[in-house]
Amino acid sequence: MPERLGAVWVIAELTGNRLTEVSLELLGKARALAAQGGGSHTSAVLMGNDTGSLAEELIVHGADRVFLIEDPRLALYQNDLHAFVLADLIKKHHPEIVLFAASYCGSELSATVAARLGTGLAAHCTDLRIDDRGELVQVVPAFGGTVLGDIFCRETRPRMASVKPGIFPKPEREATRTGEVIKETAAVLEGYKSPLKAVRIVRRQPPELPLEKAPAVVAGGWGVGAEGWHFLEKLAGELGGAVGCTRPALDEGWAQSEDALIGTSGKTVRPRIYLGFGISGSAHHIVGMKDSGVVININQDPDAPVFRISDYGAVADAKEFLPVLLEKIREHKEE
Ligand SMILES: Cc1cc2nc3c(=O)[nH]c(=O)nc-3n(C[C@H](O)[C@H](O)[C@H](O)COP(=O)(O)OP(=O)(O)OC[C@H]3O[C@@H](n4cnc5c(N)ncnc54)[C@H](O)[C@@H]3O)c2cc1C
């Protein structure tokens, strides 16, 4: 058993006035690391305005302590302000490990804070554990996901890592759990005038069925084309699932939003059934869907690498295959 490590922190992330799922997923992993680290504390950092009521939610999901910083200047995520406040808090309390969501905000915030503290950050980790020397092993896919690298941060503290949503399971809510709420301030911002100003806030409607929760994912790639895309949406509707995509389909604007991207820079999905159309099977995409239940792919190239990870495959033109499949499913439902 290694010496007892210092505290493991999770930086809680908000969407509107709710905690994101990934914040809770990270708490589960933080507790596991704290246990492996000889019984260290698990703490969460909650920065915002009027967010105090969420501290309880963090405690019942595994935080022993919540550092709560409420300030009107932190109401909206703003990189410079949040990074100043968080770096200051870390300098004051010296946590051993700090975990962030690898979301847009979390990726930016973690990198800024790491640079400010002069410490290391392993981004987009797919696993984290403490080895028997007490080192934090940060597992990161490299070379498009074909290799998993173990990253160590031996010389500087804290050790920081970011993790995408959906990688770790969300811990059960333990309603009887108790913890301590420690109020801190954003005093470090006194006298600081940010060069950034929010001009407009546009709230995107979250999808009815988030991709990572869909039991069926219908994914489209470059081979589907703009003209075939609406079939994917219809098919997902018939299957009670959601549409996912590859990077080229997103860049072309066929997919509705970044929320649909699957892979290294997108989401990790584990649906019961994954149906892919016109997807080549690059490691950057596969890394985000390889743990799906049944994997079916349709590609016109019989040598497409995606067939190597498929349970079933059809060599066909996706644009011709999709309307036929849709019709068959509808007929079957009517029987
Ligand atoms: C740092 C980095 C991060 C990345 N992150 C991601 C990520 O998170 N997610 C992601 O998806 N990509 C990501 N990429 C891009 C990735 O490397 C691939 O370029 C991408 O996944 C390929 O998408 P695709 O399969 O749609 O397109 P292509 O590789 O162009 O493949 C298209 C496939 O469609 C087939 N096809 C063509 N026409 C038809 C048809 N009519 N019917 C049936 N099949 C047809 C072709 O045979 C081909 O196999 C990333 C790249 C980098 C460098």
Side-chain angles (χ1 to χ4, degrees), residues 287-331:
V287 79
M289 51 64 66
K290 63 179 172 27
D291 296 325
S292 304
V294 178
V295 175
I296 304 171
N297 270 288
I298 288 80
N299 194 304
Q300 66 183 13
D301 174 6
D303 298 321
V306 79
F307 288 131
R308 286 187 224 134
I309 56 99
S310 303
D311 298 304
Y312 300 96
V315 178
D317 183 333
K319 290 167 216 161
E320 291 171 11
F321 195 94
L322 268 162
V324 178
L325 177 63
L326 199 53
E327 203 182 298
K328 292 275 174 219
I329 289 176
R330 285 177 179 160
E331 276 172 20

Side-chain angles (χ1 to χ4, degrees), residues 21-312:
E21 292 277 298
V22 61
S23 305
L24 306 180
E25 292 163 11
L26 288 177
L27 271 176
K29 180 46 95 175
R31 274 190 87 184
L33 293 176
Q36 289 166 18
S40 328
H41 276 108
T42 302
S43 303
V45 177
L46 183 55
M47 294 181 277
N49 195 31
D50 281 337
T51 46
S53 58
L54 298 173
E56 194 55 34
E57 209 44 31
L58 292 163
I59 291 171
V60 296
H61 282 94
D64 302 313
R65 288 188 206 142
V66 177
F67 292 102
L68 175 66
I69 308 164
E70 292 191 284
D71 190 292
R73 289 167 291 188
L74 301 175
L76 192 68
Y77 167 72
Q78 196 171 307
N79 180 255
D80 53 349
L81 304 181
H82 280 71
F84 268 129
V85 171
L86 183 56
D88 189 55
L89 194 71
I90 290 174
K91 279 189 209 153
K92 184 171 165 192
H93 294 278
H94 307 288
E96 180 79 27
I97 296 168
V98 183
L99 306 182
F100 296 79
S103 56
Y104 299 112
C105 300
S107 297
E108 188 190 48
L109 181 64
S110 55
T112 316
V113 171
R116 198 154 278 166
L117 297 173
T119 192
L121 166 72
H124 288 197
C125 295
T126 54
D127 198 10
L128 297 165
R129 62 177 187 276
I130 306 286
D131 70 10
D132 45 18
R133 296 163 303 165
E135 290 290 345
L136 174 67
V137 185
Q138 303 165 103
V139 182
V140 175
F143 303 108
T146 48
V147 173
L148 289 177
D150 288 350
I151 312 277
F152 296 92
C153 176
R154 291 207 165 102
E155 278 153 32
T156 54
R157 292 293 181 273
R159 303 183 267 199
M160 307 209 327
S162 71
V163 181
K164 281 196 310 179
I167 301 269
F168 300 134
K170 183 172 138 184
E172 290 289 323
R173 197 170 196 283
E174 287 178 53
T176 53
R177 248 188 134 260
T178 54
E180 191 185 359
V181 178
I182 301 167
K183 291 199 174 173
E184 294 278 353
T185 69
V188 67
L189 298 180
E190 295 318 320
Y192 173 70
K193 202 166 170 341
S194 175
L196 304 171
K197 186 174 153 216
V199 244
R200 194 160 55 101
I201 299 171
V202 181
R203 292 213 188 278
R204 246 186 333 167
Q205 277 302 100
E208 271 175 35
L209 177 61
L211 188 62
E212 58 277 28
K213 290 202 170 149
V217 166
V218 178
W222 174 252
V224 173
E227 64 280 25
W229 204 262
H230 65 109
F231 288 120
L232 298 180
E233 278 151 13
K234 288 185 184 134
L235 183 59
E238 290 295 335
L239 298 175
V243 175
C245 71
T246 62
R247 169 57 74 187
L250 178 68
D251 291 346
E252 287 299 320
W254 304 333
Q256 280 182 1
S257 83
E258 277 264 348
D259 288 337
L261 181 65
I262 296 172
T264 323
S265 14
K267 291 191 170 164
T268 302
V269 296
R270 295 186 187 86
R272 280 168 50 206
I273 178 164
Y274 167 101
L275 273 153
F277 295 87
I279 292 174
S280 58
S282 87
H284 282 122
H285 180 75
I286 301 304
V287 79
M289 51 64 66
K290 63 179 172 27
D291 296 325
S292 304
V294 178
V295 175
I296 304 171
N297 270 288
I298 288 80
N299 194 304
Q300 66 183 13
D301 174 6
D303 298 321
V306 79
F307 288 131
R308 286 187 224 134
I309 56 99
S310 303
D311 298 304
Y312 300 96

